[in-house]
Amino acid sequence: MSAALQHPSPRQARLRAARSFARRFRRNPLGMAGLFIGLALIFMAIFAPLLATHDPYAPDFAARLTAPGWNYWLGTDELGRDIYTRILYGSRITIFIVALVVFTSAPIGLLLGVVSGYFGGWVDAVLMRITDVFLAVPKLLLALAFVAVLGPGIVNAALAITLTAWPPYARLARAETLAVRNADFVAAIALAGASPWRIITRHIFPICYSSMLVRVTFDMAGIILIAAGLGFIGLGAQPPLPEWGAMIASGRRFIFEQWWVAAMPGAAIFIVSLGFNFLGDALRDLLDPHAKVRQ
Amino acid sequence: MTTKITQRRGAQMLQKAAGFVRALASLALTVAITLIGLVALTFIIGHVVPIDPVLTVIGDKAPQEVYDRVYQEMGLDRPMIIQFLSYLGEVLRGNLGNSMVSGRSIGSDILRFFPATFELAILGIIIGVGLGIPAGIIAAVKRDTWVDHIVRIVALIGYSVPIFWLALMALLVFYARLEWVGGPGQIDIGYAYSFSRVTGFILIDTALSGSWDVFVNAISHIALPALLIGYYSMAYISRMTRSVMLEQLNSEYVLAARLKGASEYSIVVHHALRNAAIPLVTIVALSFGGLLEGSVLIETVFSWPGLGNYIAQSLLGGDINAVLGGTLVVGTIFVFLNVASDLVYKVLDPRTRALT
């Protein structure tokens, strides 16, 4: 035991680090709230058919625009569909878009940024100028322009958001790479005969992971908001899909009388994006090396 | 002896000036490359459109020879690079092309819609800076107290709330239920023709009309969108101010000032804030750009006749040219805001000045 304490194996060390991380994370109430919201969203998406009280698509004109009550917890929309049920199913679309964007834009940005920082020279100059151009246009606007040519729809919306979301990751990964590019350990690996590709994927990528994770968590909130904005303008998910932004758009006509049609899905967007921001804040406090210096 | 010193000083100043000119030149080059890249981006987006631009001009019933002629007239048979260069030339001359729907010049359309957006953004930034910077400073000074928690949570809510939804809810509460403010649009229909649109800024135009009622009505209409945009920018500015100020307050020179016996007020105002002012310039500039973005959704909800609404309407009408023109304009403003904040940075921060 004492020997293990002095020289923990990598696995033990990792386990210990994870445990201490979990302990510190539990002390952050907002972070815990964010984690809870994120898990609740996933739970809702998986068990939507079990949790639903009505059919998300079938119109029921007798019940149209019913106020929230015993039968319809969050009221019904203009076609008499239960809003609670539609929000449940809408969580699947939200998760789908967020996952698609994150799993494409973060790797693209990571690769471009690390390559740019590691090789430097004209590769760096060209890649960073391209990044600058993409960063020069506000995200929502660029996504709108892409959707305008790609056509509306969930996958196209996710694609458009991806095209706008990668540059900050590239910047971040480049900065992390520049910090370690000339470090002794990289020189040692290179001397040992490792190819640039191996150095990048095995040794530089892992260094970027924690700051990337923080950024991804914050970005999830942004992605949800942009996706909802696209849906609201009418360029994201198309009816009858229960996308939250599109649901707000259809409730806009009834906002002064049947306020719940627009209010409920918006509250769902708000809560979920707030959750991811809480989570991002907590993770940053724990993981970001720059934040640690400040404490 | 003295002449030697003046000579040396002169040479130093010359060197400094040369360095400054060189820095300016490299900045100008970067900006030029970014702007050309921006034009290239919109060009590429415009050319992957699955819509055939010839068909939108002649309709799909025209015979083949008409199609071929128009195809050539529009220059579509030329190589891509030539097409791009001519597009670039047109953009540089300020010609953004014509709307595919109305046929009007996009440049003049944008000029007509821009003042309304600009006015909202100015009011928004005034609110954002006026509330956000003090809130951020107080939160940093009173770190981990309830004041700090409130500022952080208010900011996080601003980050997380879908702005168009908040706008709808605000309309519901303050316009429909409480009747404190005017509804969508810039002014009540009854007043629409009682003033002349000279500047395009609704508050200035109605003030110039000399009629108090019209002016008050315009204020009641602009209040809600301006406050919402202001909240949106306040969220960003207060959060950033807090983190910049925390960084300054935890640095060693503040510790030194404390040891010297400087008062808390003097430390915050004379030491930390002066150093924080430099990054704050960038933050405010960036948030101004963010407001132009937020205006797309806010203006849609408030039927505000600005650039954002123009872009949204063009999107729905399938008017790609107008969308790209608007994107190009906002992107260019963004780039110049960045440059301006960079320059201010250089002027304010002696360290970056020494480096150039």
Side-chain angles (χ1 to χ4, degrees):
Chain A
M1 180 67 198
S2 66
L5 260 180
Q6 276 156 12
H7 302 288
S9 72
R11 209 175 131 214
Q12 278 173 317
R14 232 173 276 153
L15 208 70
R16 200 172 297 159
R19 235 181 256 145
S20 113
F21 178 80
R23 202 174 330 112
R24 280 182 298 151
F25 186 83
R26 264 204 300 272
R27 276 204 294 262
N28 187 326
L30 290 185
M32 286 302 281
L35 185 67
F36 174 77
I37 292 172
L39 291 177
L41 178 75
I42 295 171
F43 181 81
M44 274 170 64
I46 295 174
F47 297 105
L50 296 177
L51 297 167
T53 52
H54 296 81
D55 185 302
Y57 297 111
D60 176 7
F61 290 102
R64 71 188 287 274
L65 297 172
T66 312
W70 186 242
N71 194 9
Y72 300 100
W73 295 346
L74 302 180
T76 64
D77 65 8
E78 72 278 14
L79 296 175
R81 296 171 300 194
D82 180 43
I83 292 174
Y84 161 72
T85 302
R86 284 177 66 76
I87 289 178
L88 274 182
Y89 278 89
S91 64
R92 294 180 165 186
I93 300 175
T94 300
I95 290 180
F96 176 75
I97 293 181
V98 168
L100 201 59
V101 172
V102 165
F103 286 122
T104 48
S105 64
I108 292 173
L110 178 66
L111 186 64
L112 290 180
V114 170
V115 165
S116 185
Y118 186 79
F119 290 107
W122 65 267
V123 176
D124 184 37
V126 170
L127 285 177
M128 281 305 110
R129 283 293 86 72
I130 296 176
T131 313
D132 279 350
V133 171
F134 275 82
L135 281 174
V137 189
K139 270 188 180 179
L140 176 69
L141 207 55
L142 193 58
L144 283 173
F146 279 124
V147 175
V149 298
L150 292 171
I154 302 176
V155 175
N156 286 348
L159 214 71
I161 300 174
T162 296
L163 285 169
T164 66
W166 64 268
Y169 295 115
R171 277 274 179 89
L172 195 65
R174 176 174 176 270
E176 299 268 1
T177 310
L178 284 179
V180 299
R181 181 174 66 167
N182 296 323
D184 289 340
F185 83 92
V186 174
I189 309 159
L191 271 179
S195 66
W197 179 247
R198 190 182 162 88
I199 295 175
I200 287 175
T201 53
R202 293 289 181 82
H203 299 278
I204 298 186
F205 275 5
I207 289 172
C208 304
Y209 286 158
S210 70
S211 57
M212 291 286 277
L213 178 67
V214 173
R215 177 84 213 192
V216 162
T217 318
F218 277 120
D219 255 15
M220 286 183 178
I223 294 166
I224 290 171
L225 290 182
I226 292 189
L230 290 177
F232 178 69
I233 291 183
L235 294 165
Q238 296 298 300
L241 282 179
E243 197 273 323
W244 295 346
M247 286 169 73
I248 299 177
S250 75
R252 196 180 156 192
R253 276 180 291 154
F254 317 104
I255 183 71
F256 296 136
E257 301 302 324
Q258 288 85 20
W259 51 270
W260 55 88
V261 184
M264 300 305 181
I269 299 172
F270 175 45
I271 292 169
V272 171
S273 120
L274 195 64
F276 282 121
N277 273 329
F278 282 161
L279 199 58
D281 252 11
L283 286 181
R284 188 194 48 198
D285 288 349
L286 294 180
L287 290 178
D288 190 348
H290 307 295
K292 246 178 241 162
V293 175
R294 254 180 240 157
Q295 284 165 3
Chain B
M1 184 73 189
T2 42
T3 48
K4 228 177 191 174
I5 290 180
T6 42
Q7 265 177 358
R8 246 189 39 210
R9 200 170 277 166
Q12 265 178 357
M13 275 174 71
L14 221 87
Q15 229 174 12
K16 247 187 187 168
F20 190 67
V21 169
R22 219 175 304 136
L24 266 186
S26 91
L27 185 68
L29 186 70
T30 317
V31 172
I33 292 175
T34 311
L35 287 179
I36 291 175
L38 195 61
V39 178
L41 182 63
T42 53
F43 178 79
I44 293 167
I45 297 175
H47 277 75
V48 296
V49 192
I51 305 164
D52 189 336
V54 180
L55 290 184
T56 58
V57 173
I58 58 173
D60 51 2
K61 294 204 171 61
Q64 185 64 37
E65 53 268 24
V66 177
Y67 181 92
D68 291 339
R69 205 186 64 227
V70 174
Y71 186 81
Q72 278 191 358
E73 273 171 9
M74 293 176 80
L76 294 171
D77 55 334
R78 296 174 301 171
M80 266 304 175
I81 183 75
I82 302 289
Q83 285 188 47
F84 170 65
L85 288 177
S86 80
Y87 175 70
L88 184 64
E90 291 297 317
V91 170
L92 285 179
R93 260 176 274 147
N95 181 7
L96 295 174
N98 292 328
S99 158
M100 287 154 80
V101 175
S102 69
R104 279 201 307 268
S105 152
I106 291 167
S108 63
D109 268 359
I110 288 178
L111 272 183
R112 200 153 42 84
F113 286 112
F114 189 71
T117 299
F118 192 62
E119 188 175 21
L120 265 190
I122 292 274
L123 290 175
I125 207 82
I126 290 173
I127 297 169
V129 169
L131 294 177
I133 289 186
I137 294 172
I138 293 171
V141 172
K142 307 258 177 206
R143 191 184 179 185
D144 289 331
T145 63
W146 60 270
V147 187
D148 182 25
H149 294 312
I150 288 177
V151 170
R152 284 177 71 183
I153 288 179
V154 168
L156 261 183
I157 289 175
Y159 259 65
S160 312
V161 72
I163 189 88
F164 54 94
W165 175 74
L166 193 64
L168 283 172
M169 294 300 120
L171 269 178
L172 168 67
V173 174
F174 297 109
Y175 165 63
R177 294 280 193 272
L178 297 173
E179 299 181 5
W180 286 358
V181 296
Q186 280 187 311
I187 198 137
D188 283 357
I189 296 172
Y191 291 121
Y193 298 100
S194 55
F195 66 98
S196 53
R197 293 181 186 266
V198 189
T199 58
F201 297 98
I202 190 78
L203 289 183
I204 297 178
D205 285 348
T206 49
L208 286 178
S209 77
S211 160
W212 183 247
D213 287 356
V214 182
F215 183 60
V216 168
N217 188 261
I219 289 181
S220 82
H221 277 267
I222 205 171
L224 214 48
L227 281 171
L228 283 164
I229 283 202
Y231 176 45
Y232 183 66
S233 84
M234 188 208 84
Y236 178 76
I237 291 176
S238 70
R239 205 176 141 97
M240 288 301 181
T241 306
R242 177 181 178 274
S243 101
V244 170
M245 279 298 282
L246 274 182
E247 199 172 341
Q248 299 298 338
L249 288 173
N250 287 330
S251 58
E252 280 165 359
Y253 73 84
V254 166
L255 189 64
R258 262 204 191 110
L259 288 174
K260 190 182 76 180
S263 70
E264 197 59 34
Y265 172 83
S266 161
I267 287 170
V268 172
V269 175
H270 295 145
H271 295 273
L273 191 57
R274 283 195 66 158
N275 283 291
I278 301 160
L280 281 181
V281 170
T282 314
I283 290 163
V284 171
L286 287 181
S287 82
F288 192 79
L291 293 191
L292 293 177
E293 174 178 35
S295 70
V296 176
L297 294 166
I298 286 279
E299 287 177 6
T300 309
V301 172
F302 285 99
S303 311
W304 197 260
L307 188 56
N309 203 0
Y310 174 69
I311 292 174
Q313 293 307 317
S314 307
L315 273 167
L316 292 179
D319 194 345
I320 308 280
N321 281 353
V323 174
L324 292 180
T327 309
L328 204 53
V329 169
V330 175
T332 309
I333 295 173
F334 234 60
V335 171
F336 278 109
L337 277 174
N338 261 318
V339 175
S341 72
D342 264 11
L343 285 178
V344 173
Y345 216 113
K346 284 212 167 74
V347 172
L348 284 180
D349 191 341
R351 282 166 308 181
T352 50
R353 224 181 309 164
L355 280 176
T356 53

